[in-house]
Amino acid sequence: MTQAEIKLCSLLLQEHFGEIVEKIGVHLIRTGSQPLRVIAHDTGTSLDQVKKALCVLIQHNLVTYQVHKRGVVEYEAQCSRVLRMLRYPRYIYTTKTLYSDTGELIVEELLLNGKLTMSAVIKKVADRLTETMEDGKTMDYAEVSSTFVRLADTHFVQRCPLVATTESSDPGLPPPAPTLVINEKDMYLVPKLSLIGKGKRRRSSDEDAAGEPKAKRPKHTADNKEPIPDDGIYWQANLDRFHQHFRDQAIVSAVANRMDQTSSEIVRTMLRMSEITTSSSAPFTQPLSSNEIFRSLPVGYNISKQVLDQYLTLLADDPVSLDLNSLYKDLHKALACLATATLESVVQERFGSRCARIFRLVLQKKHLEQKQVEDFAMIPAKEAKDMLYKMLSENFISLQEIPKTPDHAPSRTFYLYTVNILSAARMLLHRCYKSIANLIERRQFETKESKRLLEKSQRVEAIIASMQATGAEEAQLQEIEEMITAPERQQLETLKRNVNKLDASEIQVDETIFLLESYIESTMKRQ
């Protein structure tokens, strides 16, 4: 765990959950698994606060626990899961594009709450959608439920593990911590719910739907409360499935850039056919025949079987693009191509086109001496030497020594330049983590500097909204709006523009992080 990753985890935990949860989470990331009382002692936090912080972290799958032989429960932070919080907006936006606003809100609720029952998600989403509709229109529970079922069928949401129902030898002594188990066959099994109803709009705090004051409401007893139909069956967002979708989209985009739209659509069809049958972590996809691909092409995509076979042959024979062997038999090669392209792009942006030419040359030839680099790249010796040393100092290329004699004398040693893609990818990933942390800190600084003005703007907007609800005149609204002066409005616009740029930069850097992480993870599994 590098310092850049720890710092980024700290910023994300503080931004999402506050200082106490951040303190406990970062302590576990730094120290590893620890029991409850040791955490409280080392962090100087009360036992009650540590328990609440751990509950929050466990609820969001950021901390796991394990019972040891002596009966001691130890808690361990999941740093990789904390870093996934960076990608929450991308998960939500992806669901919106695939399953419209309803799917977007379902995934958003699951990410915000960590784990929820299906019935609770449906009611929350229906209420939120009803709030945005015109007066008189409501969202039916059945419509939200059907979208939830589609998300489960495509594995974007999955069940959480349940408490194991094993009978203890001593019924009077409960276990120190519950054991959670899940049957893989039931992970996407949706319970049959008969939810009848529609979303409700928020009422004022003192009156209910019938206009009756809050004080006169009859208190419901525990006997009158209806049992929850899916009590104990909790759901969560399946982040691995989202990552599989991102990987497939990156491959399709790469093929489209290399060839044309038709070839990318063929690739998309092949990946879509195996997205459910293939595990997100599997190194291979399902083998497919050309007849299956032809039958599965989108309706209205008018290409003949003969043209499809020509495209498949072209994809298989092209030595430069992502060939079929890379795409549909060995996904690791596809990720390696994408990671290499990312490294080449960074070298070109950072050092210029000539350095990029040298980098690609060394990458292609595997090992080259300095004189060979000068000759092949057709660059003067002095410039080539400066460029090689510049990339060497930044760890984009490495130097390998091959001595002719045991004494390693420089005059009798070959010095070969080479590119270690895995090492360069790790170095670039580390820099991406630092960049994201800097962007978050800059955004927090920008917001803190204009905190007073933002609070004033929010108060004015709240007053205007309440006056519009009571039917205020236009002149009165105009008078309220003038409470914010022209210079203040300009300052707010500048702040909004800067924050939007920082947010967009975070998303772009995270796309690079995803490609590099996927390649490194795939490489480590193969070793």
Side-chain angles (χ1 to χ4, degrees):
M1 185 60 56
T2 63
Q3 289 299 318
E5 289 176 281
I6 294 173
K7 182 180 179 182
L8 182 54
C9 288
S10 172
L11 289 169
L12 290 169
L13 288 172
Q14 186 173 13
E15 194 171 42
H16 283 78
F17 305 112
E19 293 182 2
I20 296 175
V21 174
E22 180 262 337
K23 183 195 290 186
I24 304 301
V26 171
H27 174 73
L28 287 175
I29 290 172
R30 289 183 185 276
T31 59
S33 58
Q34 284 194 335
L36 178 65
R37 294 193 179 276
V38 175
I39 298 170
H41 177 268
D42 291 349
T43 57
T45 311
S46 68
L47 208 60
D48 186 50
Q49 286 182 323
V50 173
K51 287 180 181 178
K52 290 178 180 177
L54 288 172
C55 283
V56 171
L57 292 167
I58 292 171
Q59 173 75 11
H60 289 267
N61 299 314
L62 305 179
V63 163
T64 56
Y65 59 84
Q66 187 176 2
V67 183
H68 288 271
K69 293 180 180 179
R70 296 181 180 180
V72 178
V73 181
E74 290 193 348
Y75 301 89
E76 184 177 2
Q78 303 295 310
C79 181
S80 60
R81 189 62 176 74
V82 176
L83 294 173
R84 293 295 80 80
M85 289 194 289
L86 267 177
R87 222 161 279 156
Y88 279 8
R90 196 175 173 192
Y91 299 143
I92 295 168
Y93 179 74
T94 298
T95 318
K96 181 181 176 69
T97 57
L98 295 174
Y99 299 98
S100 72
D101 293 345
T102 308
E104 173 196 8
L105 292 181
I106 289 172
V107 171
E108 185 178 338
E109 286 293 339
L110 289 174
L111 292 174
L112 285 174
N113 294 277
K115 303 178 181 72
L116 278 176
T117 60
M118 179 179 171
S119 56
V121 172
I122 290 171
K123 290 174 182 177
K124 282 174 176 283
V125 171
D127 291 347
R128 287 182 62 181
L129 288 170
T130 302
E131 285 285 335
T132 61
M133 291 180 170
E134 299 176 2
D135 289 340
K137 292 184 178 180
T138 54
M139 174 59 68
D140 200 312
Y141 286 166
E143 190 174 342
V144 182
S145 179
S146 65
T147 304
F148 192 99
V149 171
R150 287 167 61 201
L151 283 166
D153 289 341
T154 51
H155 298 183
F156 282 103
V157 298
Q158 63 182 10
R159 282 193 184 192
C160 300
L162 299 172
V163 178
T165 56
T166 54
E167 294 186 5
S168 175
S169 57
D170 186 0
L173 185 64
T179 303
L180 301 178
V181 294
I182 184 70
N183 188 350
E184 289 189 10
K185 294 180 181 179
D186 298 336
M187 283 184 72
Y188 308 103
L189 182 63
V190 180
K192 292 181 180 179
L193 301 179
S194 57
L195 292 175
I196 301 172
K198 298 179 182 293
K200 299 176 183 178
R201 297 181 186 273
R202 291 181 184 176
R203 301 289 174 176
S204 59
S205 58
D206 57 342
E207 292 187 2
D208 61 8
E212 188 178 2
K214 188 175 180 181
K216 295 183 180 180
R217 292 180 193 170
K219 292 184 179 180
H220 295 280
T221 61
D223 298 334
N224 295 334
K225 193 173 182 180
E226 296 181 3
I228 301 173
D230 57 343
D231 189 22
I233 303 174
Y234 288 88
W235 292 80
Q236 62 187 354
N238 184 5
L239 304 190
D240 289 337
R241 178 66 182 87
F242 281 99
H243 292 169
Q244 181 185 357
H245 179 76
F246 297 157
R247 181 202 65 199
D248 293 350
Q249 291 297 105
I251 292 173
V252 170
S253 177
V255 173
N257 291 335
R258 170 66 187 168
M259 302 184 72
D260 63 3
Q261 196 62 38
T262 303
S263 59
S264 69
E265 193 59 46
I266 293 169
V267 171
R268 189 195 307 276
T269 301
M270 297 179 75
L271 290 171
R272 190 185 295 124
M273 289 170 69
S274 60
E275 62 184 0
I276 299 300
T277 57
T278 305
S279 170
S280 57
S281 59
F284 303 97
T285 60
Q286 297 293 331
L288 302 167
S289 68
S290 60
N291 288 326
E292 289 177 311
I293 299 168
F294 183 71
R295 288 194 298 268
S296 300
L297 283 171
V299 178
Y301 213 80
N302 297 320
I303 63 170
S304 64
K305 178 67 166 58
Q306 184 181 1
V307 173
L308 173 64
D309 290 339
Q310 290 174 349
Y311 266 105
L312 292 174
T313 304
L314 184 63
L315 283 164
D317 293 342
D318 189 352
V320 180
S321 69
L322 299 172
D323 58 61
L324 281 181
N325 185 54
S326 297
L327 281 170
Y328 315 115
K329 296 184 82 69
D330 192 349
L331 289 169
H332 170 74
K333 291 183 180 178
L335 292 171
C337 288
L338 293 170
T340 304
T342 301
L343 287 169
E344 290 178 8
S345 175
V346 171
V347 168
Q348 180 154 348
E349 289 293 323
R350 192 174 179 84
F351 305 112
S353 58
R354 285 189 154 192
C355 275
R357 191 198 310 173
I358 293 175
F359 184 82
R360 282 191 289 268
L361 181 65
V362 176
L363 197 62
Q364 182 182 358
K365 300 292 185 180
K366 307 297 184 186
H367 296 87
L368 285 177
E369 289 186 281
Q370 184 175 316
K371 184 67 171 66
Q372 291 176 309
V373 172
E374 298 164 10
D375 294 340
F376 284 131
M378 294 183 290
I379 295 175
K382 187 175 184 301
E383 290 184 32
K385 182 179 179 180
D386 289 343
M387 292 174 184
L388 282 168
Y389 286 177
K390 193 182 294 183
M391 287 189 285
L392 183 63
S393 65
E394 297 279 351
N395 296 321
F396 283 98
I397 62 175
S398 55
L399 191 63
Q400 186 174 350
E401 297 180 6
I402 303 179
K404 295 180 184 177
T405 54
D407 60 354
H408 287 260
S411 60
R412 293 185 294 275
T413 302
F414 290 110
Y415 294 95
L416 301 179
Y417 290 97
T418 185
V419 176
N420 186 332
I421 299 177
L422 181 61
S423 176
R426 281 177 171 155
M427 176 273 300
L428 187 57
L429 180 62
H430 176 73
R431 292 190 178 183
C432 287
Y433 286 141
K434 290 178 70 175
S435 298
I436 288 273
N438 291 340
L439 287 168
I440 292 174
E441 286 185 325
R442 182 65 194 181
R443 189 184 70 236
Q444 291 176 348
F445 172 78
E446 292 276 351
T447 308
K448 187 177 180 181
E449 286 289 297
S450 305
K451 184 179 179 182
R452 184 196 61 81
L453 186 57
L454 285 170
E455 291 174 350
K456 180 180 178 181
S457 174
Q458 290 170 355
R459 285 197 302 271
V460 169
E461 288 175 2
I463 293 170
I464 291 173
S466 63
M467 291 180 69
Q468 285 175 337
T470 56
E473 296 179 359
E474 189 66 30
Q476 293 175 309
L477 297 176
Q478 185 69 26
E479 185 179 348
I480 299 298
E481 287 180 358
E482 289 174 357
M483 291 174 63
I484 300 178
T485 62
E488 287 177 333
R489 289 190 184 281
Q490 187 176 0
Q491 187 178 344
L492 284 171
E493 285 296 321
T494 304
L495 174 65
K496 183 179 178 181
R497 187 166 57 251
N498 291 341
V499 170
N500 287 342
K501 283 182 181 178
L502 292 168
D503 288 341
S505 299
E506 281 183 43
I507 293 170
Q508 289 174 348
V509 176
D510 181 61
E511 289 176 3
T512 304
I513 287 175
F514 171 72
L515 284 177
L516 296 173
E517 282 182 342
S518 300
Y519 166 69
I520 293 169
E521 182 182 354
S522 176
T523 305
M524 297 309 295
K525 284 180 179 178
R526 288 171 66 92
Q527 290 179 354

